[in-house]
Amino acid sequence: MTGPQPLKNLKVVEFTHMVMGPAVGAILASLGAEVVRVEPIGGDRTRKLIGSGAGYFPMYNRHKASICLDLKSPDGLAVARDLAAGADILIENYRPGAMDRLGLGYDTLAATNPRLIYCSEKGFLPGPYEERTALDEVAQMMGGLAYMTGPPGRPLRAGSSVIDVTGGMFGVIAILAAVEERHRTGRGQKVQSSLFETTIYLIGQHMAQLAVTGKPAAPMPARISAWAIYDVFETADDKPIFIGVVTDALWEKFCALFGLDDLWADESIRENTARVLARDRIMPQIRALVQTWKRDDLIARLEGTGLPFAPIGRPEDMFDDPHLLASGGLEPVTLSDGTITMLPTLPIEMNGARPHAHAALPEAGADTKSVLAGLGYDEARIEALLASGAVEGQG
């Protein structure tokens, strides 16, 4: 690893799949923690997903070691317990009760490792819904985010695993809070985050809107904007751009920048609320103006003015984004087929540096032998475990 490593020497063991749980370990690993990911015999099935799931494994499993265990075998479970006994942090996102049935629940493991911080990533926090199966999409639909994203009557999930990832981030926040508390108490604890409650936190602003205005929030495509000019506009070369004018001072600047003397002369719309009420009168003129400009020329005119603007980008455009390339926002990752690509690193900077390092995705069980050796197992015991099928791998 290069760049900041504030979590160096923290040992993490991860029993996870899909996105939410792996995202917790991915963030900790990018900050320097030593993360060992426990996969089933044959490897995590997420490795083989296609379609929209094809990017899950490479995005959320960099900078980790891999060991394959048969948790249905006594020997495989013994290895898992030994991993937990030497860990600072354990992450799991299995179905409720699954880890307890395996004898890997918090109370059992904390009895031998009281400093263990045990992070459970679930669909719901404890309550009436906690036994339900949840996915990112389930939480978005149930919690109101899909309603707010799509047009009226057409709920639409966000175009990313936003709840899985944000739920993972809340898990990391809870873990780091528990690490700080452990400095004072010497003891670990169980922490949890969830998909449903994460969704509720994200739509909390719309709940507060009802409390403030007395009116339910409308879906975003039908909302009454807080600003008159805050929209996507078509350009002369059919490359859309978002422009926002969010203060009265920016309204003055926008009018001067584009020669909108008649609009600036109208003193009745110098104040934002008045412009919002006059939006139907203002917007046709603004749309007609923007459509006379090519997008790149428009960007050149807006650059450095303080006016919010954004070309409408696609995920594939980000590989060549000059800001990301210049700032270390992407790091090289060697995929399982040997292809080297660039993927986002953590969107933070510490002491002037970004977490940034070349990562190679581990083959399933690539670190099995080295992880077992790190637990103090001798070569004969390791070979016996491999021969029994309780563990699988190389390393």
Side-chain angles (χ1 to χ4, degrees):
M1 288 288 293
T2 58
Q5 298 183 55
L7 303 186
K8 187 176 182 180
N9 298 327
L10 281 180
K11 294 184 177 181
V12 181
V13 60
E14 188 185 306
F15 297 83
T16 67
H17 64 119
M18 299 296 280
V19 175
M20 192 187 191
V24 178
I27 295 169
L28 298 176
S30 290
L31 292 172
E34 178 187 317
V35 180
V36 175
R37 189 163 192 273
V38 176
E39 300 188 50
I41 301 299
D44 180 6
R45 305 303 181 261
T46 307
R47 290 174 175 271
K48 300 176 182 178
L49 289 177
I50 62 173
S52 62
Y56 291 174
F57 195 86
M59 181 62 199
Y60 303 112
N61 290 285
R62 289 170 276 162
H63 308 302
K64 301 177 184 179
S66 170
I67 180 173
C68 291
L69 299 181
D70 179 2
L71 296 180
K72 295 180 180 179
S73 75
D75 286 341
L77 272 176
V79 173
R81 292 191 190 99
D82 286 345
L83 284 168
D88 293 287
I89 299 159
L90 182 147
I91 307 161
E92 66 91 13
N93 71 325
Y94 290 170
R95 286 179 61 87
M99 292 290 279
D100 293 293
R101 289 190 292 273
L102 289 169
L104 298 173
Y106 171 70
D107 291 337
T108 300
L109 298 180
T112 54
N113 182 4
R115 290 178 55 81
L116 182 67
I117 295 167
Y118 189 107
C119 178
S120 285
E121 300 282 294
K122 300 301 182 188
F124 304 88
L125 292 180
Y129 301 154
E130 65 184 299
E131 295 298 324
R132 291 189 185 181
T133 299
L135 302 168
D136 189 296
E137 197 144 340
V138 169
Q140 290 195 37
M141 296 290 173
M142 188 175 178
L145 182 59
Y147 171 85
M148 289 303 301
T149 303
R154 293 171 56 196
L156 182 68
R157 68 157 284 165
S160 170
S161 299
V162 60
I163 303 302
D164 275 322
V165 176
T166 309
M169 291 166 61
F170 281 126
V172 172
I173 292 169
I175 287 169
L176 296 181
V179 169
E180 174 59 25
E181 187 166 313
R182 190 174 68 180
H183 292 325
R184 300 193 299 273
T185 66
R187 293 192 62 85
Q189 60 183 283
K190 183 177 181 179
V191 300
Q192 295 188 73
S193 71
S194 71
L195 294 170
F196 180 63
E197 281 80 1
T198 292
T199 309
I200 302 309
Y201 194 88
L202 294 185
I203 60 94
Q205 68 191 77
H206 305 307
M207 297 169 67
Q209 180 181 338
L210 172 62
V212 171
T213 67
K215 297 179 181 179
M220 295 297 276
R223 74 192 185 281
I224 298 175
S225 175
W227 303 281
I229 300 173
Y230 195 79
D231 215 327
V232 175
F233 297 86
E234 295 298 327
T235 61
D237 51 356
D238 296 321
K239 296 178 179 178
I241 187 170
F242 169 85
I243 301 174
V245 179
V246 295
T247 69
D248 296 336
L250 287 176
W251 171 244
E252 180 178 6
K253 182 176 288 188
F254 183 78
C255 289
L257 197 65
F258 292 102
L260 298 171
D261 298 337
D262 58 330
L263 287 178
W264 179 248
D266 186 348
E267 295 187 8
S268 71
I269 55 173
R270 293 274 177 94
E271 196 274 330
N272 177 67
T273 300
R275 288 194 299 278
V276 173
L277 295 175
R279 177 179 164 87
D280 289 345
R281 173 165 64 89
I282 296 171
M283 283 297 285
Q285 184 173 345
I286 305 302
R287 292 195 183 281
L289 166 74
V290 174
Q291 206 154 17
T292 66
W293 286 75
K294 291 184 177 180
R295 188 178 71 178
D296 289 348
D297 294 336
L298 194 60
I299 289 172
R301 175 61 65 94
L302 291 166
E303 193 77 69
T305 65
L307 282 154
F309 71 91
I312 308 305
R314 301 167 298 178
E316 57 265 34
D317 298 333
M318 300 305 112
F319 289 108
D320 300 312
D321 184 86
H323 178 82
L324 294 175
L325 294 175
S327 64
L330 304 175
E331 65 182 17
V333 179
T334 302
L335 304 179
S336 56
D337 64 358
T339 301
I340 298 178
T341 188
M342 301 292 286
L343 293 177
T345 187
L346 291 187
I348 62 172
E349 183 179 276
M350 299 183 69
N351 200 27
R354 298 287 299 271
H356 186 280
H358 191 131
L361 292 181
E363 294 294 329
D367 306 285
T368 293
K369 286 186 177 181
S370 58
V371 169
L372 294 177
L375 293 174
Y377 292 14
D378 61 27
E379 188 173 343
R381 185 177 181 186
I382 293 171
E383 292 302 326
L385 286 168
L386 288 165
S388 74
V391 304
E392 180 183 70
Q394 314 151 38

